[in-house]
Amino acid sequence: MKVAQTVGQTLVDEGIRQVFGVVGSGNFAVSNAMVAAGARFVTTRHEAGATTMADAYARLSGEVAAVTVHQGCGFTNTITGLTEAAKSRTPLVVVAADVTEERSNFYVDQEAIARAIGAVPITVDDPARAYAAAVTAVRTAQADRRTVVLNLPISVQARDVPEDRVVPGDDRPPISVADGAVERLAALLEAAEAPVFVAGRGARSARRELEQLAGQTGALLATSAVAKGLFAGNAWSLDVSGGFASPLAAELIEASDLVVGWGCALNMWTTRQRALVRPGATVVQVDLDPTAPGRHLPVDLGVHGDVAEVADRVRALVTARPGRRTDELRDRIAAGIRWRDVPYEDLGTDDEIDPRTATVLLDDLLPSERVVSIDSGNFMGYPSMFLSVPDERGFCFTQAYQSIGLGLATAVGAALAQPHRLPVAALGDGGALMGISELETVVRLGIPLVVVVYNDAAYGAEVHHFGPGGGDLSLVRFPPTDLAAIARGYGFDAATVRRPTDLDPVAAWLAGDRSRPLLVDLKVVRSEPSWWLEEAFRGH
Ligand SMILES: Cc1ncc(C[n+]2csc(CCOP(=O)(O)OP(=O)(O)O)c2C)c(N)n1
């Protein structure tokens, strides 16, 4: 068998089921081999879209996903999305055709680029190692939670793989929790009066274990933004900690005397620039990555280990206590933890709708079995905090690199990973226009996607960032864009919304056969920055 076929088939044999890409001469054979081996291939309109779809698919399916791209320019088109995936430790394999001849137009040092953005490069430079390279790529992605760039030089792709191919060993040592760490964490929980757990990306598969330990120790439960939904439905869930935290959530987290981060970086976003961690509070971080504890916030105890295992072992050592879990607090949380229960003054006019009002109305209209994906910008707090989600696989937040323009592709990957849920993309007009080419992919795949655009005809975050300092706002403001008309051109149904009653077509669309996707162009009030934005900019 040739190298390209061996690599394609091995990737699928190792568990990859979903591939995204743009096919060119260099990745044609490997893409065909993956399809022949049983993988589903989604052709996208830009490699950036392919990469972010694969990232979102991997996050919400729990599987390793793959991307295939053309050598050189196809690969460099992936870079922003690939950086997002690498920073997020998404298990992803990008199979990149490659040229080794420096005089080729397509030549760039793909290994160096991959390394520079935090991905793991593996190059198939010898036919005898093609099988081993593909196996190692998938295992590295899965076991180490890394984003891998598997370079496939054109010069080796059509060569035969010899019979005596190299077979990789699996020499990863199991992670063992350090002696005494579990006992120390148990003692801290026993001594705490008001503990809170903040669960992050690394805790997304440990809901049961964390809820049980929290139940036994009286801890309240919160998440970072990427893990939103993890404790949905739990009476002691405070939802997201950080800039998006509601006033009651912030009050309760700030009043905690012990903060335990579970698979959570406890970075400036999650701690609201540390304002949510009160002076003198004890801080603990439990993480698979031994370098994580203390990186963003000084910790009193770092525990290196698997979140679920550590939680179970600690639970065996602690006595049951209610902590702050009184009936009175349960009622306060039920009545006031959601942003939509916090009173606000509606700033809507005849021409512009208040984004909070629009989002609350959409929260009521859209079925609760939904998967919400968020782009970046001034608007992003509205869908993140006013739309509820069913669980942690109902929310996809590709914001580790803080790029705008990834939201639409995120929603496509999320939709394919969670096909039983209504997919919702929440975008700014800037991010929507940046990633717009994938609207065609949505229509072609027949995804019943609801795209909600918070359209302020501006790079709103920049308006509110630079405006007060006297910056030239003509650089960040635009004439109105009729996104509904553009979407109809792609084959979407569409609605333009200036007042609450303009949302009626959304209800009609939901009641229909949803055979075409829907774009909702919200003409939002432009005068006010969102409440969390000022805080976010302080961290720049
Ligand atoms: C790729 C990229 N380019 C530029 C920026 C800087 N930036 C941050 S928010 C923003 C404006 C986004 O505008 P829009 O999508 O309309 O959302 P809004 O802020 O108006 O709600 C820009 C340009 C970025 N984060 N990412």
Side-chain angles (χ1 to χ4, degrees):
M1 202 187 280
K2 308 288 184 201
V3 166
Q5 276 81 27
T6 299
V7 169
Q9 184 178 318
T10 306
L11 292 171
V12 176
D13 289 349
E14 287 295 307
I16 288 177
R17 300 194 309 149
Q18 179 66 57
V19 194
F20 301 85
V22 176
V23 172
S25 54
N27 60 324
F28 192 70
V30 72
S31 300
N32 278 332
M34 294 184 82
V35 172
R40 175 168 60 165
F41 193 97
V42 168
T43 297
T44 64
R45 289 302 182 167
H46 196 293
E47 288 85 352
T51 309
T52 299
M53 286 177 205
D55 183 352
Y57 180 90
R59 292 184 198 208
L60 294 197
S61 67
E63 297 169 20
V64 181
V67 179
T68 78
V69 292
H70 187 265
Q71 61 275 18
C73 45
F75 174 63
T76 51
N77 263 354
T78 69
I79 296 305
T80 298
L82 201 50
T83 310
E84 166 65 35
K87 281 179 182 283
S88 300
R89 308 283 300 250
T90 301
L92 193 65
V93 177
V94 178
V95 187
D98 194 9
V99 287
T100 45
E101 169 54 62
E102 290 192 20
R103 282 170 304 180
S104 162
N105 289 57
F106 293 124
Y107 177 79
V108 285
D109 187 341
Q110 295 188 179
E111 278 201 1
I113 292 173
R115 204 171 288 116
I117 59 167
V120 179
I122 299 175
T123 297
V124 182
D125 46 14
D126 172 1
R129 303 191 63 83
Y131 169 76
V135 170
T136 304
V138 180
R139 293 186 186 165
T140 302
Q142 193 150 41
D144 301 342
R145 302 197 60 80
R146 297 296 299 269
T147 296
V148 177
V149 173
L150 183 60
N151 288 312
L152 212 47
I154 290 173
S155 54
V156 301
Q157 284 196 30
R159 290 175 56 191
D160 288 315
V161 174
E163 287 295 313
D164 57 341
R165 65 186 188 181
V166 176
V167 177
D170 199 357
D171 46 10
R172 275 182 194 76
I175 291 176
S176 53
V177 183
D179 280 349
V182 165
E183 290 73 12
R184 286 207 290 281
L185 176 49
L188 289 173
L189 278 163
E190 292 271 1
E193 284 171 12
V196 66
F197 290 177
V198 186
R201 187 195 323 277
R204 288 176 79 243
S205 57
R207 174 176 183 156
R208 185 175 51 82
E209 292 83 354
L210 289 178
E211 283 185 335
Q212 285 176 344
L213 179 62
Q216 186 141 330
T217 55
L220 303 181
L221 293 159
T223 72
S224 65
V226 276
K228 180 177 168 66
L230 182 60
F231 303 120
N234 186 304
W236 306 104
S237 168
L238 310 180
D239 202 4
V240 175
S241 171
F244 296 159
S246 68
L248 179 56
E251 176 199 316
L252 292 168
I253 296 165
E254 220 183 315
S256 303
D257 61 352
L258 172 63
V259 179
V260 187
W262 297 91
C264 175
L266 295 179
N267 62 20
M268 64 173 189
W269 305 109
T270 307
T271 61
R272 203 179 269 187
Q273 317 275 7
R274 302 189 179 182
L276 296 183
V277 181
R278 84 173 193 213
T282 303
V283 180
V284 178
Q285 236 180 304
V286 181
D287 209 291
L288 266 185
D289 175 357
T291 69
R295 198 184 293 157
H296 294 274
L297 184 71
V299 294
D300 298 281
L301 174 65
V303 182
H304 177 212
D306 173 74
V307 166
E309 183 195 333
V310 172
D312 272 348
R313 285 180 52 189
V314 171
R315 186 160 58 91
L317 301 179
V318 289
T319 47
R321 58 189 53 233
R324 279 178 285 182
R325 294 187 173 206
T326 60
D327 289 345
E328 189 205 339
L329 183 61
R330 183 202 297 262
D331 293 345
R332 266 190 87 200
I333 291 173
I337 204 67
R338 299 183 310 167
W339 268 107
R340 55 175 294 170
D341 297 324
V342 178
Y344 66 91
E345 183 197 346
D346 188 307
L347 302 174
T349 66
D350 274 354
D351 290 327
E352 293 175 344
I353 192 161
D354 188 304
R356 293 164 293 188
T357 303
T359 314
V360 168
L361 290 169
L362 284 167
D363 194 39
D364 288 339
L365 280 173
L366 299 171
S368 54
E369 276 298 316
R370 59 182 78 149
V371 52
V372 177
S373 301
I374 313 275
D375 208 312
S376 197
N378 177 59
F379 76 95
M380 68 198 289
Y382 304 121
S384 298
M385 296 315 292
F386 287 84
L387 290 181
S388 64
V389 297
D391 57 31
E392 79 287 0
R393 290 194 175 184
F395 190 71
C396 202
F397 197 69
T398 40
Q399 291 301 328
Y401 197 29
Q402 260 180 268
S403 175
I404 67 167
L406 306 185
L408 177 61
T410 299
V412 175
L416 295 175
Q418 296 285 303
H420 56 291
R421 290 181 163 160
L422 183 84
V424 180
L427 319 174
D429 51 304
L433 288 163
M434 193 177 273
I436 198 162
S437 56
E438 304 304 346
L439 287 182
E440 189 279 334
T441 306
V442 174
V443 173
R444 176 164 35 88
L445 296 182
I447 297 173
L449 178 66
V450 178
V451 179
V452 180
V453 185
Y454 293 79
N455 188 349
D456 61 354
Y459 289 147
E462 310 307 337
V463 171
H464 300 302
H465 195 180
F466 295 115
D472 179 357
L473 295 183
S474 69
L475 272 56
V476 289
R477 283 200 172 129
F478 299 91
T481 307
D482 187 351
L483 288 168
I486 293 172
R488 287 190 193 100
Y490 276 94
F492 274 62
D493 288 340
T496 302
V497 176
R498 297 179 186 280
R499 284 169 295 248
T501 49
D502 294 339
L503 282 166
D504 291 350
V506 178
W509 181 87
L510 286 165
D513 65 3
R514 306 180 196 175
S515 57
R516 289 153 60 97
L518 176 71
L519 183 137
V520 184
D521 185 9
L522 299 177
K523 306 293 191 188
V524 293
V525 172
R526 286 180 284 172
S527 52
E528 300 284 321
S530 56
W531 73 96
W532 61 273
L533 191 79
E534 211 194 333
E535 206 143 79
F537 282 149
R538 267 192 267 132
H540 263 238

